[in-house]
Amino acid sequence: LFDAAFEFAHYPGVQNEASVKEFLDRFPLPVIFKALQTDPDIPGFENTLVTCLERLFKTKYGASLIPQYMPVLQVGLKADSAVVKSLACKTVLCLLENVQLVVIYPLLLDYIINSDDEVAHAASETIKSLARFPDAMSIIFPNLAARCSSLARVRVLSLVVKLFSISRNVASEVKNSGLLDLLEAEMKGTKDTLVILNVLELYYELMEVEHSSEFVPQTSLIQLFCSIISGSSTGPYEKLRAMMISGRLLSKVKALISAIDGSLNDNDAQEAAIDALGQIGSTTKGAHLVLSPAARHVVASAFDRNAHGKQLAALHALANIAGETRPKVDGKAEESLRCLIYDVAAQSTKLTPSGLFLVVLQQSSEIRLAGYRTLTALVARPWCLVEILSKAEIINIVTDETEKIAMEARYNCCKSIHEAFLCSNFADDSRHLKTGEKLQEAVQNGPYMSKKDARPEVMTGEGF
């Protein structure tokens, strides 16, 4: 059995159904299960059989046999061996529609709390898959805070985040069941920096979920983040992470933006605060909020050469706020953006936005890349197109980038300028004819400036 299982487990590629049936005809599942309960003096015996069973159950024929062995599966879930428990958890994934949730679920949850990392991860992934079925969410987590270790609570909270990300319906169930309150309770109930940072990491993952803004702000999370960011006793790492998370919280929260704006005076937190404002401003609603008035720091930092890291973060943030990947804002917010850029230019030695743009494009490749993103977003405004066309050097740079790190960003910027040019009155102006031709040629050449199709060079062999 060991030799055959070892060969099956390490077979390169995918086993076909015929070979699976041949193996199980020779070694039926009860034989393999009984062998797992023994302790032969063979190195790697248990791991080999477990790996073999995993591969068997992933096949159509192997999975079809599992429902006949539900009692064995439950025994496996209660086994002493960690690898056998993990196997049992993974086997549940092959049974999703046949599993008796009321029996299995408490065991899986217990593994998350009391087992090692491998078993806890397998159990967590199994519960996440089970939660996709309508009836599964009827089983609610018990209140674990009182009887779990700190590590176990973090595992449970991590599972909450995974469940939340499955779908909007599951997220609604998670919210209505009060599971999100476990995250807040853990934050408020401890002064342990490591625990707080772990929970903040989970919040950061939570904010990546598409439907997070619909459910998360219904909790007292906003007040919690405001107190962390503004609190004088809060550690710097917690502040930075809270600001990063709030950058993903794309909702209309003036108090949160005000707290981030106030943190721009803290040198250690400036880059994180600028990035947070950029993420908030990446949506139309967020941009309206940020542009009045927190974006003044972003615009000023975007053209400040004295702090490389801050300038880089600010240029990317300004690209988000100006709408690189979405329509531009309108009304007062749009006018505010224009005034902010002209005000910064007037207070600089360059006097005009075109001068500021040119200085950015003359810096390092990573700064130029961020500058291209910013111009790609801004050029949809007629005033910005005028500024760009007023400097021939800007056109020369965006049509002739040589650094690989910035070539695609340069090309996207060039396309945006060309599109704005064609939609403007400048397209019919003879004074800008060469500029239009240069932009069109650069767009046709593509991001890597391939001026013509590659052709193979064919030579007649010498002495043929």
Side-chain angles (χ1 to χ4, degrees):
L1 171 61
F2 174 77
D3 292 340
F6 186 89
E7 183 179 352
F8 189 92
H10 295 89
Y11 179 83
V14 179
Q15 294 275 18
N16 59 42
E17 299 295 326
S19 63
V20 172
K21 188 175 187 306
E22 181 182 349
F23 181 91
L24 289 174
D25 286 344
R26 184 181 175 193
F27 300 104
L29 285 175
V31 173
I32 303 176
F33 293 149
K34 185 175 181 180
L36 276 174
Q37 297 174 19
T38 66
D39 187 19
D41 188 18
I42 303 176
F45 182 80
E46 185 180 61
N47 286 333
T48 297
L49 262 60
V50 165
T51 304
C52 178
L53 285 170
E54 284 184 20
R55 296 197 70 173
L56 285 169
F57 292 151
K58 287 179 181 178
T59 65
K60 185 176 180 180
Y61 180 75
S64 68
L65 301 177
I66 299 174
Q68 304 173 29
Y69 298 97
M70 284 298 295
V72 177
L73 175 60
Q74 293 186 39
V75 170
L77 286 168
K78 297 177 181 179
D80 294 331
S81 168
V83 292
V84 173
K85 287 180 180 178
S86 293
L87 171 65
C89 291
K90 293 172 184 177
T91 305
V92 173
L93 298 178
C94 304
L95 292 174
L96 292 176
E97 293 181 340
N98 302 306
V99 167
Q100 300 174 19
L101 287 175
V102 175
V103 175
I104 301 297
Y105 186 89
L107 294 172
L108 295 173
L109 190 57
D110 184 66
Y111 291 161
I112 292 176
I113 298 170
N114 297 316
S115 299
D116 61 25
D117 289 341
E118 181 182 356
V119 177
H121 176 73
S124 177
E125 289 299 310
T126 303
I127 292 176
K128 181 180 176 182
S129 297
L130 292 174
R132 298 178 187 275
F133 291 85
D135 296 337
M137 287 306 294
S138 60
I139 303 175
I140 304 301
F141 283 107
N143 184 0
L144 303 168
R147 61 184 181 89
C148 287
S149 66
S150 176
L151 174 62
R153 286 199 299 272
V154 170
R155 286 177 175 176
V156 172
L157 297 176
S158 177
L159 178 58
V160 169
V161 173
K162 289 180 179 179
L163 294 178
F164 190 88
S165 66
I166 291 173
S167 68
R168 185 188 176 281
N169 290 336
V170 175
S172 179
E173 292 283 348
V174 170
K175 172 64 179 67
N176 293 336
S177 68
L179 292 178
L180 288 181
D181 296 338
L182 292 176
L183 284 150
E184 290 185 42
E186 189 69 8
M187 286 283 290
K188 294 176 180 178
T190 182
K191 293 184 179 180
D192 188 324
T193 300
L194 183 59
V195 173
I196 292 173
L197 286 173
N198 282 334
V199 177
L200 286 174
E201 285 298 322
L202 294 176
Y203 270 125
Y204 192 69
E205 293 177 22
L206 197 66
M207 296 309 164
E208 282 188 310
V209 180
E210 182 181 357
H211 42 263
S212 62
S213 60
E214 185 176 350
F215 299 102
V216 176
Q218 297 177 24
T219 68
S220 58
L221 182 62
I222 306 305
Q223 292 81 0
L224 181 61
F225 281 170
C226 285
S227 64
I228 292 174
I229 295 170
S230 303
S232 58
S233 60
T234 309
Y237 295 109
E238 296 98 305
K239 277 191 176 185
L240 293 178
R241 211 58 185 151
M243 283 189 283
M244 294 298 293
I245 295 166
S246 63
R248 290 186 169 182
L249 187 58
L250 306 177
S251 62
K252 197 171 183 179
V253 186
K254 292 183 179 180
L256 194 58
I257 294 176
S258 178
I260 297 173
D261 189 28
S263 292
L264 287 163
N265 296 320
D266 183 350
N267 291 333
D268 294 331
Q270 283 181 344
E271 289 182 30
I274 287 171
D275 181 71
L277 292 175
Q279 292 194 48
I280 293 173
S282 62
T283 65
T284 303
K285 288 183 178 180
H288 276 276
L289 289 170
V290 170
L291 283 168
S292 182
R296 66 186 184 278
H297 296 291
V298 175
V299 176
S301 298
F303 303 105
D304 181 5
R305 299 187 63 178
N306 296 320
H308 180 274
K310 186 170 69 170
Q311 182 185 18
L312 184 62
L315 283 168
H316 282 297
L318 183 56
N320 289 342
I321 294 168
E324 182 198 20
T325 58
R326 57 159 175 77
K328 64 180 183 179
V329 292
D330 51 26
K332 291 182 179 180
E334 187 64 37
E335 179 62 17
S336 175
L337 176 61
R338 187 185 72 83
C339 289
L340 286 172
I341 292 176
Y342 273 97
D343 287 346
V344 170
Q347 295 171 25
S348 72
T349 58
K350 301 303 177 182
L351 300 179
T352 63
S354 61
L356 297 179
F357 298 156
L358 181 58
V359 170
V360 167
L361 297 181
Q362 290 173 335
Q363 293 176 240
S364 65
S365 57
E366 59 180 357
I367 291 290
R368 287 204 309 281
L369 186 152
Y372 289 139
R373 287 193 63 222
T374 300
L375 291 184
T376 299
L378 288 174
V379 76
R381 286 89 174 163
W383 62 264
C384 183
L385 179 62
V386 171
E387 292 291 339
I388 290 174
L389 296 179
S390 70
K391 291 279 187 185
E393 296 96 327
I394 295 178
I395 300 299
N396 291 338
I397 293 173
V398 299
T399 56
D400 194 25
E401 173 65 63
T402 57
E403 290 282 345
K404 289 184 178 181
I405 190 176
M407 291 181 82
E408 290 191 11
R410 187 277 316 167
Y411 178 68
N412 292 333
C413 179
C414 191
K415 277 204 308 182
S416 297
I417 295 174
H418 186 234
E419 290 170 3
F421 178 83
L422 293 177
C423 295
S424 71
N425 295 329
F426 295 113
D428 300 323
D429 190 334
S430 59
R431 291 172 296 179
H432 294 281
L433 180 61
K434 290 185 177 181
T435 299
E437 291 175 349
K438 194 165 189 175
L439 288 166
Q440 183 173 355
E441 182 184 2
V443 171
Q444 289 175 343
N445 288 337
Y448 302 107
M449 310 298 287
S450 54
K451 296 186 180 297
K452 58 182 179 180
D453 294 334
R455 294 178 180 273
E457 189 175 86
V458 182
M459 296 182 182
T460 303
E462 292 183 6
F464 174 71

